């Protein structure tokens, strides 16, 4: 409600105001400083009364009055909005208006799938300026006049707001009426689009894994070379996998009516060796007898081949040994002492495993139990393969060497001298990094022991290692760029081992004592159970045999844990952590955790089944708090 006032001279104004109004001075409560006997009496003044602003000019030698405003009052002098206290005279063109918060707000979600209506107030009232006595410095304020209702928000007004925003999807009118009649003053969803339905990525269905598992649990293969394939093979011509093609999703639409296409599904790239063939219907058939190895877990590039098999001799199964093979490893005998097995495939052991470490990029099947041993399968097997661990260590050390060489070279150059980069490297290898040649030599021995079946060419890596082992012979060839290339080759080694992870890996074992068992897939305990051991699974942990024990052990699974008898003879007992569900036939002296909620079970309990929801409710009843 703009106002425009043009003032007369100071004296004419005061005379007209005083004439016939005996209580005027009391009405305005004139500021004593304004009309005192000092020079301030010469200043201009401002009076606010009945929604009007009166301004008098200053006397000669005085200063103009100063005016400002607070929200929701907006003042404009000569068309310019005031943002700070400003001098004003009667010659200025002054207007005011009220700029209040809107009665409601319409917002659209970032994904354009929902429209929200937020009510701030349904009624709209008039505003009055707050009266102010005559003063040389006035701040204009306003207050809502609850006695003067101007309008009430209607559905028609709201609908016009939606029309301006081109929202064409159907509106939830009842929700609007409900919010207007019973305000919550919270965002209310009154229109929705439809999210697109994602399609299904292409995937590979394995048809032979269950066959292999069941066959392994039969009789132990004999030492006869002609029979050691029988328990793990598919036949020539047999279809052992099926490629399921990608399925397109369904489009959605925004609240504006625009089409939302579904994300395109991803297809699989299949790389088959000489002994596998992709049939027109997506089936994959074997061209030979053997175990299909499908690698590339977690990627959309799958490699299908038939790995070679190494059969552990009897003496290697008894005496300490290190066995590394780019395929499957079979031990028809127990492993008794300090055996290290690293396989780019599956590992099959008939009997128990003592004081040994086994890592496999595929699965690990052990008919007996593991004692004081470490078992790593799938992603864990790749990470614990010494080519990976040694490469990671070398990358750290050589990166540190590279940085030290850079700093040393810059220090020398700062003295206006020049130095060969190769000599700097040689100096560091003979001093601070004198341990590095030993690490490189150990890594070179690992590469030299690889069989011809290893999927990566390591000649260039070994050549680079020779340079580091004899830097004095290659000072002119050692450059910072060369070291960078060496680091890239080491990273490729790690990536190559990681890509050898197989589909649907598992560790299948009778039991374990004082052992560490980690699987990139499932863990199956088919025998007596585990004691004082640690199990970690990216899938499920399953105890198959009735009465199988889990004593004083820790188990963690991203999926479910299905146990039989869980107990603890000493503190803290057994610890079970799962992502979805924990089941046990009997349990006591144990702690279970699902989705951040934990529960201590001290007294024996039977037939327990906990999900994230039920454990959360149990924790609420007992007053427990979520684990951070």
């Amino acid at each position: 409600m703009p106002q425009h006032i043009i003032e007369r001279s100071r004296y004419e104004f005061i005379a007209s105001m005083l004439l016939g109004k005996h209580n005027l001075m009391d009405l305005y409560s004139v500021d004593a400083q304004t009309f005192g006997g000092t020079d301030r009496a010469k200043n201009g003044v401002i009076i606010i009364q009945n929604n009007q602003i009166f301004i008098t000019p200053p006397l000669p030698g005085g200063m103009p009055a100063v005016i400002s405003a607070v929200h929701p009052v907006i003042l404009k002098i000569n068309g310019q909005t005031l943002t700070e206290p400003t001098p004003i005279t009667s010659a200025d063109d002054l207007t005011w208006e009220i700029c209040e918060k809107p009665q409601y707000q319409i917002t659209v979600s970032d994904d354009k799938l929902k429209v929200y209506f937020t009510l701030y107030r349904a009624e709209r009232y008039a505003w009055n300026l707050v009266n102010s006595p005559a003063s040389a410095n006035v701040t204009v304020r306003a207050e809502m006049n609850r006695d003067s209702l101007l309008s009430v928000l209607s559905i028609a007004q709201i609908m016009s707001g939606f029309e301006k925003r081109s929202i064409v999807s159907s509106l939830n009118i009842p929700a609007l009426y409900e919010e207007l009649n019973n305000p919550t003053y919270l965002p209310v969803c009154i229109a929705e689009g439809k999210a697109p339905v994602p399609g299904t990525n292409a995937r590979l269905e394995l048809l032979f894994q269950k066959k292999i598992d069941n066959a392994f649990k039969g009789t132990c293969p004999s030492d006869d070379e002609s029979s050691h394939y029988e328990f793990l093979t598919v036949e020539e011509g047999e279809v052992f996998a099926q490629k399921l093609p990608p399925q397109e999703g369904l489009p959605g639409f925004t609240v504006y009516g625009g089409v939302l296409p579904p994300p395109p599904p991803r297809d699989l790239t299949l790389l088959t060796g000489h002994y596998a063939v992709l049939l027109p219907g997506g089936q994959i058939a074997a061209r030979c007898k053997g175990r299909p190895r499908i690698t590339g877990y977690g990627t959309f590039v799958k490699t299908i081949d038939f790995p070679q098999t190494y059969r552990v001799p009897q003496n290697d199964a008894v005496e300490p040994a290190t066995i590394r093979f780019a395929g499957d490893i079979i031990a028809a005998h127990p492993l008794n002492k300090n055996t290290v097995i690293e396989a780019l495939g599956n590992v099959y052991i008939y009997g128990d495993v003592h004081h040994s470490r086994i890592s496999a990029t595929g699965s690990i099947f052990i008919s007996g139990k593991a004692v004081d041993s470490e078992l790593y399968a799938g992603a864990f097997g790749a990470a614990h393969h010494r080519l990976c661990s040694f490469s990671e260590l070398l990358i750290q050390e050589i990166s540190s060497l590279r940085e030290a060489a850079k700093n040393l070279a810059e220090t020398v150059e700062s003295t206006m001298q020049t130095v060969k980069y190769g000599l700097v490297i040689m100096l560091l290898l003979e001093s601070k990094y004198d341990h590095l040649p030993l690490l490189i030599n150990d890594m070179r021995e690992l590469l030299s022991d690889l069989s011809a079946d290893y999927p990566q060419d390591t000649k260039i890596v070994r050549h680079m290692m020779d340079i580091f082992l004899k830097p004095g012979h290659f000072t002119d060839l050692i450059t910072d760029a060369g070291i960078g290339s060496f680091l890239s080759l080491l990273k490729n080694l790690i990536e190559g081992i990681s890509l050898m992870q197989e589909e649907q890996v598992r560790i299948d074992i009778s039991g374990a004592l004082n052992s560490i068992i980690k699987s990139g897939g499932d863990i199956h305990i088919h025998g007596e159970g585990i004691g004082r051991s640690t199990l970690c699974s990216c899938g499920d942990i399953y105890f198959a045999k009735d009465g199988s024990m889990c004593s004083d052990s820790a188990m963690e699974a991203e999926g479910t844990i299905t146990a039989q008898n869980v107990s603890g003879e000493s503190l803290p007992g057994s610890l079970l952590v799962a992502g979805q569900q924990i089941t046990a036939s009997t349990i006591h002296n144990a702690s279970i955790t699902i989705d951040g909620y934990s529960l201590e079970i001290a007294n024996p309990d039977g037939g327990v089944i906990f999900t994230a929801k039920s454990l959360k409710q149990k924790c609420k009843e007992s007053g427990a708090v979520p684990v951070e």
Side-chain angles (χ1 to χ4, degrees):
M1 44 187 303
Q3 302 290 331
H4 180 196
I5 306 298
I6 300 178
E7 303 300 335
R8 289 163 289 174
S9 72
R10 180 185 181 93
Y11 301 107
E12 290 175 345
F13 168 72
I14 295 296
S16 65
M17 294 294 290
L18 292 176
L19 184 61
K21 297 182 179 180
H22 305 288
N23 298 324
L24 186 62
M25 297 304 292
D26 294 334
L27 178 65
Y28 285 100
S29 302
V30 179
D31 189 346
Q33 293 184 351
T34 303
F35 294 102
T38 65
D39 289 341
R40 293 181 180 178
K42 301 177 181 179
N43 293 341
V45 296
I46 301 171
I47 299 174
I48 302 177
Q49 182 67 22
N50 296 329
N51 284 334
Q52 290 184 308
I53 303 174
F54 303 98
I55 303 166
T56 65
L59 295 174
M63 301 293 294
V66 175
I67 194 169
S68 60
V70 295
H71 184 80
V73 179
I74 302 295
L75 294 180
K76 292 184 180 181
I77 296 180
N78 303 321
Q80 298 296 317
T81 301
L82 268 65
T83 58
E84 59 184 14
T86 303
I88 187 171
T89 70
S90 58
D92 292 316
D93 180 14
L94 174 65
T95 59
W96 66 271
E97 61 187 21
I98 298 296
C99 181
E100 57 184 325
K101 191 175 183 179
Q103 291 177 270
Y104 67 94
Q105 184 178 22
I106 297 171
T107 56
V108 180
S109 60
D110 292 339
D111 58 11
K112 298 181 178 61
L113 290 176
K114 291 186 177 182
V115 178
Y116 295 94
F117 170 80
T118 305
L119 177 67
Y120 297 123
R121 66 186 188 286
E123 299 81 10
R124 180 170 170 263
Y125 293 94
W127 288 77
N128 293 332
L129 295 183
V130 177
N131 293 338
S132 175
S135 176
N137 194 325
V138 171
T139 298
V140 183
R141 305 175 187 276
E143 60 185 8
M144 188 180 293
N145 184 359
R146 297 283 182 179
D147 296 327
S148 179
L149 178 63
L150 299 180
S151 64
V152 177
L153 186 63
S154 66
I155 291 293
Q157 289 176 273
I158 298 172
M159 294 297 292
S160 65
F162 282 108
E163 291 172 0
K164 292 177 182 178
R165 298 180 68 110
S166 303
I167 297 175
V168 299
S169 62
S170 59
L171 296 177
N172 189 347
I173 304 299
L176 279 175
Y177 272 111
E178 179 63 24
E179 181 63 16
L180 287 178
N181 295 327
N182 301 289
T184 64
Y185 304 106
L186 298 174
V188 176
C189 182
I190 56 170
E192 290 190 66
K194 183 178 180 181
V197 179
T200 304
N201 294 328
R203 61 187 180 90
L204 202 59
E205 182 181 17
L206 306 185
L207 308 176
F208 67 95
Q209 188 73 26
K210 188 172 182 180
K211 172 182 176 181
I212 294 174
D213 299 343
N214 293 336
F216 173 74
K217 295 175 183 177
T219 59
C220 174
S222 68
D223 290 333
D224 180 13
E225 181 70 18
S226 62
S227 66
H228 79 266
Y229 275 119
E230 294 299 326
F231 69 97
L232 53 79
T233 61
V234 296
E235 300 295 329
E236 182 178 355
E238 182 178 347
V239 173
F240 60 85
Q242 169 78 48
K243 178 186 176 182
L244 302 178
Q247 300 291 328
E248 293 290 339
L250 299 175
F253 56 86
T254 70
V255 293
Y256 297 107
V259 176
L260 288 175
R266 300 198 53 180
D267 200 359
L268 278 179
T269 298
L270 299 180
L271 306 177
T272 58
H274 295 294
Y275 301 107
V277 58
L278 179 61
L279 302 177
Q283 299 91 351
I284 303 169
R287 285 180 171 173
C288 69
K289 187 177 183 179
R291 182 186 81 89
R293 175 174 60 183
I294 301 176
T295 58
Y297 176 75
T299 72
F300 286 90
V301 179
K302 309 294 183 184
T303 300
I304 305 170
D305 61 1
F306 285 76
Q308 297 295 313
T309 301
Y310 175 78
R311 192 172 176 80
V312 180
Q314 174 68 38
N315 60 327
D316 286 351
V318 177
E319 298 300 325
T322 298
I323 303 168
R324 189 181 311 107
F325 189 70
D328 295 345
I329 295 178
I330 303 171
H333 318 280
L335 300 181
N336 293 325
K337 291 184 179 179
N338 302 320
T339 301
V340 176
I341 291 180
E342 296 178 348
L344 298 183
N346 289 352
V347 174
Y348 305 85
I349 298 172
Y350 287 88
D352 295 337
V353 175
H354 290 264
H355 305 282
S356 298
R357 183 172 68 86
I358 301 173
S359 62
T361 55
S363 300
I364 299 175
F365 299 92
I366 300 176
S367 65
K369 62 179 179 296
V371 180
D372 297 313
S373 297
E374 299 176 23
L375 310 179
Y376 305 101
F380 294 105
H384 283 80
H385 195 287
R386 282 184 299 169
L387 278 181
C388 272
S389 57
F390 267 63
S391 295
E392 289 175 349
L393 180 59
L394 279 180
I395 287 173
Q396 294 176 4
E397 293 294 327
I398 293 175
S399 296
S400 179
L401 170 68
R402 187 184 189 186
E403 185 65 23
K406 176 184 176 182
N407 294 335
L408 182 57
E410 289 177 350
T411 301
V412 173
E413 291 172 355
S414 66
T415 63
M416 306 303 292
Q417 300 182 41
T418 59
V419 62
K420 284 186 177 181
Y421 187 82
L423 292 175
V424 174
I425 294 294
M426 185 174 69
L427 175 63
L428 291 171
L429 289 174
E430 292 175 350
S431 55
K432 182 179 179 181
Y433 293 89
D434 58 350
H435 62 285
L436 191 51
L438 296 176
L439 294 176
I440 293 176
N441 190 61
D442 290 343
M443 180 69 174
R444 200 184 191 292
E445 289 182 4
L446 286 177
L447 294 175
S448 299
D449 292 341
L450 293 176
S451 66
D453 293 329
Y454 185 73
Q456 289 180 280
D457 186 356
T458 62
K459 291 180 181 178
I460 300 178
V461 178
R462 284 181 283 176
H463 175 68
M464 293 293 294
M465 289 180 177
D466 290 337
I467 294 177
F468 275 90
L469 292 174
K470 298 177 182 179
H473 295 77
F474 302 99
T475 54
D476 292 335
L477 299 179
I478 299 178
T479 63
D480 180 73
I483 292 180
S485 298
F486 186 30
L487 291 173
S488 296
L489 291 172
L490 292 174
K491 291 177 182 177
N492 289 339
L493 275 177
I494 297 174
E495 183 180 354
I497 298 295
S498 298
L499 289 175
M500 293 302 294
Q501 296 177 47
E502 295 192 34
E503 301 283 329
Q504 299 182 9
V505 301
R506 65 189 281 189
I507 293 179
D508 198 313
I509 191 170
S510 174
L513 181 65
N514 294 325
S515 295
I516 297 174
I517 301 174
K518 296 186 177 183
S519 171
D522 298 337
I523 297 177
H524 281 210
I525 310 297
H526 62 257
E528 58 198 51
I530 64 172
R532 299 190 299 277
S533 295
T534 300
L535 277 61
C536 182
S537 167
C538 294
D540 302 328
I541 298 177
Y542 179 77
F543 288 71
K545 185 177 180 181
D546 290 341
S548 183
M549 295 295 300
C550 169
S551 176
D552 294 302
S553 297
M555 298 190 294
E556 182 174 357
E558 292 186 9
T560 65
I561 295 177
T562 303
Q564 299 297 327
N565 300 324
V566 180
S567 64
E569 302 302 326
S570 60
L571 294 177
S574 290
L575 172 65
L576 283 65
V577 180
Q580 299 174 7
Q581 179 175 294
I582 294 176
T583 303
S585 297
T586 63
I587 184 170
H588 74 278
N589 195 15
S591 171
I592 61 175
T593 299
I594 305 176
D595 195 26
Y597 286 89
S598 293
L599 183 66
E600 301 289 337
I601 302 177
N603 299 320
D605 198 357
V608 298
I609 300 177
F610 282 110
T611 63
K613 183 178 180 180
S614 64
L615 187 58
K616 180 179 179 180
Q617 181 62 34
K618 191 78 172 178
C619 289
K620 285 184 177 180
E621 294 173 357
S622 62
V625 296
V627 178
E628 295 295 336

